[in-house]
Amino acid sequence: MIWSNWKLRWMFQFGFLCAMSLGLASSVSGSLSFEIHHRFSEQVKTVLGGHGLPEMGSLDYYKALVHRDRGRQLTSNNNNQTTISFAQGNSTEEISFLHYANVTIGTPAQWFLVALDTGSDLFWLPCNCNSTCVRSMETDQGERIKLNIYNPSKSKSSSKVTCNSTLCALRNRCISPVSDCPYRIRYLSPGSKSTGVLVEDVIHMSTEEGEARDARITFGCSESQLGLFKEVAVNGIMGLAIADIAVPNMLVKAGVASDSFSMCFGPNGKGTISFGDKGSSDQLETPLSGTISPMFYDVSITKFKVGKVTVDTEFTATFDSGTAVTWLIEPYYTALTTNFHLSVPDRRLSKSVDSPFEFCYIITSTSDEDKLPSVSFEMKGGAAYDVFSPILVFDTSDGSFQVYCLAVLKQVNADFSIIGQNFMTNYRIVHDRERRILGWKKSNCNDTNGFTGPTALAKPPSMAPTSSPRTINLSSRLNPLAAASSLFIICFISFVSL
């Protein structure tokens, strides 16, 4: 058996996407790809800085992650697909459970570190917000990096969106049909919202051959960001839900991408996002149910299996790139966690330990990952969705012992379940909006095309190289890192007495 010992790269402040599922917020023919990075990856911390952040992979990361989750509540391509990438190309860097990308907008083009969220619809950038915008962040080296703030008057390709636009949802607040269209989007994290006016400008894309495929899109010029946006997602959010105002819809309307996109969640924190990707003929699929909301990527689960126990029950869950871990409502939470617990041979960790997860177990010399129960969901239509690893492994700060936890949380702030990014690891998830299906296929998310793309129109912040994983010798039976496994190691800052 093999226990992996990658230090987990889930960084929590961009748990804003956990915190809000930026998703689950509402506002008023080719394939496009671009780089996505986790908010607290080493690459991004080099750009935005890690000053004041909890240490990567620590228990404090998970506490922050769960806090924001609660606040927020919410493969190869087919040969006939034309792939089109973001201006930077389709190679990817570190991602974890919360994603963002370098997006270039306007003329001349400017880069923005934009959060990617399948649980919300509107794309907005900080804009004309004077002293209220976060304009820089401190790097780990103590340097301050300037963040771009969008200014419509400085982009030659920018134009205003008036109140008579079909995309203007707040016409009743307009003084006249030719007034600037206002917008307001609220997130479930208390007090978190973005307000401003809608604008139109160019987003820069390119083909594999380097041919520009720019598209005019409508997005929010955010003049005010409140709540968590003072700390996270400070440079904008790209909503990817099913709505006319969402970027995927506008790329289809512009004729540069078909109505589908994929997000790939690699085992080692690498991934891709590809617009126009309809997946492959051998992927597994299930229809989108539209039960929770027509704008979300929710599916029907007809049964699930934990180890050898099958639970026949039907419920709906939404796949959300903006939520870090998986949240289940009752009675499904208890059914899954209880059956998992009954099949685990290891000693359960004392409840006095301050952990966000309820079911944690102490690793000993006899612990064996192969003996842990597997978790699998059967989707409507009969396709099986096998979770690569439902657990996370924690290392004590002094190295005296280690534990693993079932990374599932009880959903009490909403009446629906969420499949978070930890259950999407090792999959390319295809959001085929045209066919109304969700597809998945096992993938390590490597860039098989090797396409690096043309020189950027606007150079984004440089990203630091990925650090090497830390090797931990657990016991004579627990082997070092295996690339095929999806079990991650993270560190506890401290434990209370068992």
Side-chain angles (χ1 to χ4, degrees), residues 11 21 33 65 76 88 98 132 172 206 208 223 227 244 275 303 393 460 497:
M11 315 300 168
S21 181
S33 305
L65 173 70
S76 61
Q88 297 300 314
L98 304 167
T132 61
N172 60 336
S206 68
E208 294 179 16
E223 299 166 341
D244 288 341
F275 290 101
K303 65 177 68 173
V393 176
S497 300

Side-chain angles (χ1 to χ4, degrees), residues 8-39:
L8 187 63
R9 297 181 184 278
W10 294 7
M11 315 300 168
F12 289 71
Q13 204 167 1
F14 222 36
F16 93 87
L17 279 182
C18 309
M20 305 174 287
S21 181
L22 291 187
L24 312 189
S26 60
S27 72
V28 272
S29 239
S31 175
L32 302 147
S33 305
F34 50 88
E35 290 190 355
I36 49 183
H37 304 272
H38 181 270
R39 165 64 177 84

Side-chain angles (χ1 to χ4, degrees), residues 232 240 253 286 298 306 396 465 496:
V232 295
L240 299 168
K253 185 177 179 180
T286 190
D298 49 86
V306 182
T396 60
V496 298

Side-chain angles (χ1 to χ4, degrees), residues 1-5 368-370 474 477-487:
M1 66 124 292
I2 295 173
W3 293 82
S4 310
N5 53 11
D368 189 336
E369 184 185 8
D370 290 341
L474 302 182
R477 295 194 58 191
L478 304 183
N479 299 324
L481 172 69
S485 176
S486 60
L487 179 64

Side-chain angles (χ1 to χ4, degrees), residues 38 59 77 94 99 103 114 188 191 217 311 324 357 360 382 420 430 439 492:
H38 181 270
L59 177 59
N77 295 330
E94 285 296 312
H99 296 249
V103 177
V114 173
L188 292 182
I217 61 171
V311 179
F357 304 109
C360 297
V430 176
F492 268 117

Side-chain angles (χ1 to χ4, degrees), residues 24-335:
L24 312 189
S26 60
S27 72
V28 272
S29 239
S31 175
L32 302 147
S33 305
F34 50 88
E35 290 190 355
I36 49 183
H37 304 272
H38 181 270
R39 165 64 177 84
F40 290 152
S41 66
E42 289 302 311
Q43 290 89 334
V44 176
K45 288 177 73 176
T46 298
V47 177
L48 295 185
H51 181 70
L53 303 180
E55 182 177 345
M56 178 191 300
S58 66
L59 177 59
D60 281 354
Y61 270 135
Y62 276 90
K63 292 179 183 176
L65 173 70
V66 172
H67 171 72
R68 289 177 169 79
D69 266 342
R70 286 178 176 140
R72 146 202 202 311
Q73 303 293 327
L74 202 157
T75 343
S76 61
N77 295 330
N78 291 332
N79 292 331
N80 60 355
Q81 291 189 99
T82 302
T83 58
I84 303 173
S85 84
F86 195 68
Q88 297 300 314
N90 60 1
S91 61
T92 62
E93 300 293 340
E94 285 296 312
I95 67 168
S96 186
F97 296 91
L98 304 167
H99 296 249
Y100 70 92
N102 289 322
V103 177
T104 48
I105 299 290
T107 308
Q110 284 186 301
W111 60 262
F112 300 90
L113 295 174
V114 173
L116 305 174
D117 183 26
T118 60
S120 64
D121 55 3
L122 183 68
F123 173 29
W124 60 261
L125 297 173
C127 168
N128 295 342
C129 40
N130 301 319
S131 60
T132 61
C133 281
V134 177
R135 296 178 178 271
S136 66
M137 295 287 286
E138 186 176 349
T139 70
D140 293 338
Q141 293 75 31
E143 301 177 69
R144 295 205 69 85
I145 299 296
K146 181 181 178 181
L147 297 175
N148 289 321
I149 305 299
Y150 181 75
N151 186 336
S153 65
K154 293 184 178 180
S155 173
K156 297 178 182 179
S157 50
S158 178
S159 61
K160 69 177 184 178
V161 175
T162 58
C163 291
N164 57 14
S165 168
T166 57
L167 294 178
C168 185
L170 297 180
R171 296 187 190 90
N172 60 336
R173 299 195 176 191
C174 296
I175 298 175
S176 75
V178 294
S179 299
D180 291 348
C181 174
Y183 83 86
R184 178 181 61 192
I185 181 168
R186 295 179 180 271
Y187 300 88
L188 292 182
S189 179
S192 295
K193 63 181 180 179
S194 167
T195 58
V197 296
L198 295 182
V199 296
E200 187 178 286
D201 209 335
V202 173
I203 185 170
H204 299 285
M205 307 285 184
S206 68
T207 67
E208 294 179 16
E209 294 75 27
E211 179 185 351
R213 288 292 179 88
D214 300 341
R216 292 195 66 81
I217 61 171
T218 299
F219 59 94
C221 167
S222 178
E223 299 166 341
S224 174
Q225 309 88 38
L226 299 177
L228 285 176
F229 299 126
K230 296 297 183 181
E231 305 173 20
V232 295
V234 296
N235 213 208
I237 295 168
M238 181 178 286
L240 299 168
I242 305 171
D244 288 341
I245 196 67
V247 168
N249 293 61
M250 289 184 281
L251 294 178
V252 172
K253 185 177 179 180
V256 299
S258 56
D259 199 7
S260 182
F261 72 93
S262 68
M263 295 185 72
C264 198
F265 304 88
N268 300 326
K270 293 182 179 292
T272 61
I273 179 169
S274 299
F275 290 101
D277 183 7
K278 289 183 171 291
S280 56
S281 58
D282 58 346
Q283 70 183 11
L284 298 176
E285 299 177 348
T286 190
L288 297 175
S289 69
T291 303
I292 297 172
S293 169
M295 69 180 284
F296 298 144
Y297 301 99
D298 49 86
V299 300
S300 295
I301 297 173
T302 57
K303 65 177 68 173
F304 60 86
K305 188 175 182 180
V306 182
K308 297 180 179 180
V309 178
T310 298
V311 179
D312 287 307
T313 185
E314 186 166 351
F315 65 99
T316 300
T318 185
F319 275 67
D320 183 15
S321 69
T323 300
V325 297
T326 295
W327 298 69
L328 299 178
I329 61 174
E330 292 288 17
Y332 317 114
Y333 172 81
T334 295

